[in-house]
Amino acid sequence: MSELEGRVALVTGGARGLGAAAAKALAAKGAKVVVTDVNDASETAAAIGGAYFKHDVTSEDEWIAAVAFAKQTFGGLDILVNNAGVFWLKPLVMETLESFRKMQAINVEGVFLGLKHAIPVIAERAQQWDGGGAVVNLSSVAGIVGAPNLIAYNASKGAVRLMTKSAALEYAPMKVRVNSVHPGIIDTPMMAEAAKVIEATTGQGANATRDNFATRHPLGRMGRDIDIANAVAFLASDAAAFMTGSELVVDGGMTAI
């Protein structure tokens, strides 16, 4: 039997990047996966035999509908991956209240709503599995250490880190584990977009930006989406049955310096 056979997962932000990779990794281990995104993620879902649900994570009504869709389509919910998020670089004095709030709405409130509406449904089936139900929240190394020009992102990912611990303590008696993953700089479309911003403001070429990203990791490269997807799949599985409220840092040694 595959590690996650019989289980149902919901992965937000699954149209591309880390979300798509996580959905594929969970499906490869036997889970049925609902892939949600505000953008079209039907291709990701079709590739893994899953289902796509159009989903704005800042909408409480859409969260309620997404969880109901998972139950209706696959019979329940056992795993939630709160991956949907946005990222940008902006100096503190140039950051506006409007854009700061936008990032918190997606990166923080989206996670909060996922926890609120998915965990009670996950708890309904948690006793079936040795490792119980599982929630994996995507934070970042920016949720552990600060960086210039990232005040909104630091705030959002720090919040995800501690919301994870709060939910883990609250739902441990119901056998629902809640952990966070903290990626370093990962080679994804989102990071490629950030590199373009850096190039435009500094005059660096594309290769120079990528080389700089790579050298910030002691292992000498940027992370790959599969590095994070493997961490997500591990935390979702019974192999992590005694882990809750934990921070799984996958950063090539970046925060060890």
Side-chain angles (χ1 to χ4, degrees), residues 76-226:
L77 186 62
D78 307 288
I79 298 162
L80 170 65
V81 180
N82 271 317
N83 166 76
V86 292
F87 170 87
W88 57 73
L89 292 155
K90 193 177 292 186
L92 170 59
V93 296
M94 294 179 64
E95 184 66 80
T96 66
L97 182 58
E98 180 182 13
S99 66
F100 183 91
R101 285 174 172 167
K102 178 180 178 180
M103 185 170 284
Q104 309 317 306
I106 298 169
N107 292 7
V108 180
E109 293 175 17
V111 171
F112 160 72
L113 290 170
L115 295 170
K116 178 178 179 179
H117 293 291
I119 286 181
V121 177
I122 292 171
E124 293 173 4
R125 299 177 12 142
Q127 299 300 325
Q128 294 185 36
W129 320 113
D130 289 342
V135 177
V136 183
N137 294 327
L138 269 292
S139 181
S140 167
V141 291
I144 299 173
V145 296
N149 305 314
L150 286 182
I151 191 151
Y153 193 69
N154 277 140
S156 71
K157 293 305 184 178
V160 170
R161 177 190 183 201
L162 284 179
M163 286 196 300
T164 297
K165 295 179 184 299
S166 177
L169 294 172
E170 186 169 346
Y171 285 95
M174 300 179 192
K175 207 174 177 182
V176 177
R177 298 179 297 104
V178 188
N179 295 290
S180 56
V181 175
H182 297 256
I185 303 174
I186 310 300
D187 193 1
T188 64
M190 183 183 290
M191 199 49 59
E193 290 161 7
K196 289 180 182 178
V197 173
I198 294 172
E199 292 158 19
T201 56
T202 65
Q204 292 183 16
N207 289 338
T209 301
R210 291 181 62 85
D211 289 347
N212 177 263
F213 284 167
T215 57
R216 293 180 64 185
H217 304 83
L219 287 181
R221 66 169 174 88
M222 283 193 285
R224 305 182 184 106
D225 57 11
I226 190 62

Side-chain angles (χ1 to χ4, degrees), residues 34-83:
V34 174
V35 183
T36 82
D37 203 301
V38 69
N39 298 309
D40 185 5
S42 57
E43 185 175 337
T44 301
I48 59 175
Y52 163 59
F53 186 83
K54 187 174 177 63
H55 180 201
D56 176 355
V57 296
T58 68
S59 167
E60 186 160 20
D61 287 344
E62 290 190 22
W63 262 112
I64 293 168
V67 172
F69 177 81
K71 289 189 70 174
Q72 180 181 4
T73 304
F74 293 124
L77 186 62
D78 307 288
I79 298 162
L80 170 65
V81 180
N82 271 317
N83 166 76

